Structure formats: C-alpha cells, structure tokens
Amino acid sequence: MPPFPIDRYLLPETPVEVPDGFTEVRQSLTAGLPHRVELGAGVHAVLILPTGLARQWLATDPLAVVSTSADDLAPRPAPAATPRPPALVGRVPLRLVVRQGTRILGSVPLAAGLRRVCPDAGPSSVTPSAPVAVEVVVLAWLLHAGTVRGSGDYGSSLTLAWRPADRAADHFGPPPINEFVWRRRPPAQRVESELGPGRLRYRYLLDKKMRRVLR
C-alpha cells in the first residue's frame, strides 16, 4: 500500500532520528536571536521569533522555557467527550528562514520531525542562476526567555539536519486523477480531503482501491 500523502506533515510518535544521508547540526544559542546556522553549499538558516513584545521578555525569568520540541513529542490527552470551542494558539511562532546569500529559499516552522525542501520547486528546474535546493529536518530545540532578550548562555539549543536536494524522488505512485473524471464518479465512491486553501488535495476512489493526489 502506498504511503498516505500527508504522512510527512504528521508529528512523530517517537524521538526524531537523523534520516539517512542527512548531516546533523547541533548548536547552542548563546548569541541570542536571530541565530544563524551554516548548512553548507553556500546555504544557511536563520532562527527567528517575530513577536514585537520587548517589554514582555524583559519582565520574564531568563530561564523560563519559551518553546521546546518536547511538547511535540509528549503524549496527547484523550479528547473531551463534550466538544469545546477552539482556543487561541499559545505557541510562539519560531521558524527557520533558509537563505542562499541574501536570497530567501523558504521558511520552515519549528515542529519536531518536520521535513521541508527549500525552495519548493525542487532540483529539476535548477539552472546556473537558480538557487541551490536543500532539504531540512527539524530534530529538536529548547529556547529560554533569556536567549530571546539577548546574548548569554541560558541553555538554549537547536538541532536540525540537512542535505542537498539534488536527487529525484525514489518513490512513485499512480498519476493524479483528472478533476472532471473524478467528479463524474458516484458520490458513494469518492473521498476527498483538502489541507488548507490552495494546498494539497487528497482524492480516493473506493471502487478501484487506488489513492491519487491532485494538487
């Protein structure tokens, strides 16, 4: 059975390991934010935290934990029997901005186990003037409030892995279903999911037992 198309977007159930062919990078965040991480091939990543709330960080204990990958890997409580209204998201928007020189290749939100190719176009369209494509995996991080305020050794760290995205995919699936053909099938034989507006669409024909992805 082919892998489910959104598997790479899901959080891992076990501690994240370095995939084969990737180079692991571990750094202590002693120079504050933003923090630059050299990846190689003329590419680097910059860890940023856009908040705009300087007074909040000045009043916070420097050793207070702002964000950690342990939260992604912790067991989730069972859902409540009675549905609750959605709450505001309290997670800070930590992200890696991947750059080649001054050219931005992509932005990677910090989520344990997340893999992302920057830029999304992939190596097939690379020309001498095109950007270098890299794949980044977020492994672990720990950020204290003192690191957000400025330089100093507060125990903050970042671990990620990367590799040049210069190889074609080694897994292939059936071709996408034509949208007009898919809509002509009986409703009882169609399943469709969409991950956000304009993003990945997952379409499944129940009668043929074939999963097809339509972008």
Side-chain angles (χ1 to χ4, degrees):
M1 177 180 296
F4 197 70
I6 67 170
D7 277 349
R8 61 195 180 105
Y9 296 102
L10 303 179
L11 296 178
E13 297 181 356
T14 57
V16 184
E17 298 181 354
V18 181
D20 294 338
F22 282 76
T23 301
E24 183 178 1
V25 179
R26 297 183 181 180
Q27 291 193 355
S28 298
L29 309 180
T30 57
L33 297 182
H35 179 82
R36 175 167 171 155
V37 182
E38 297 293 340
L39 300 180
V43 178
H44 65 275
V46 180
L47 179 65
I48 62 173
L49 175 58
T51 65
L53 303 174
R55 182 174 297 181
Q56 169 187 337
W57 301 115
L58 293 175
T60 304
D61 181 358
L63 297 181
V65 176
V66 176
S67 179
T68 174
S69 56
D71 292 339
D72 284 354
L73 303 175
R76 295 292 189 269
T82 303
R84 299 178 180 178
L88 295 176
V89 177
R91 182 166 177 158
V92 295
L94 268 175
R95 59 184 55 250
L96 289 166
V97 178
V98 182
R99 306 197 305 179
Q100 180 186 5
T102 58
R103 175 184 291 177
I104 296 178
L105 303 182
S107 178
V108 183
L110 256 64
L114 178 65
R115 294 176 61 164
R116 181 156 297 179
V117 177
C118 300
D120 293 336
S124 59
S125 60
V126 171
T127 64
S129 61
V132 175
V134 297
E135 185 174 8
V136 179
V137 182
V138 180
L139 299 176
W141 73 90
L142 175 61
L143 179 66
H144 293 275
T147 304
V148 180
R149 295 192 331 198
S151 59
D153 189 359
Y154 300 99
S156 302
S157 62
L158 172 67
T159 306
L160 52 86
W162 76 280
R163 70 174 178 181
D166 54 0
R167 292 179 295 177
D170 53 1
H171 297 284
F172 303 92
I177 302 171
N178 183 280
E179 180 177 358
F180 299 100
V181 174
W182 185 85
R183 294 193 180 279
R184 291 175 61 184
R185 306 295 299 182
Q189 297 179 0
R190 303 188 318 227
V191 177
E192 180 179 23
S193 299
E194 183 172 339
L195 304 180
R199 298 184 62 185
L200 179 67
R201 290 182 180 177
Y202 178 71
R203 291 177 174 175
Y204 179 30
L205 290 180
L206 298 178
D207 59 337
K208 294 187 177 181
K209 302 296 183 182
M210 292 189 300
R211 294 176 172 82
R212 304 286 184 91
V213 177
L214 177 62
R215 295 184 182 275

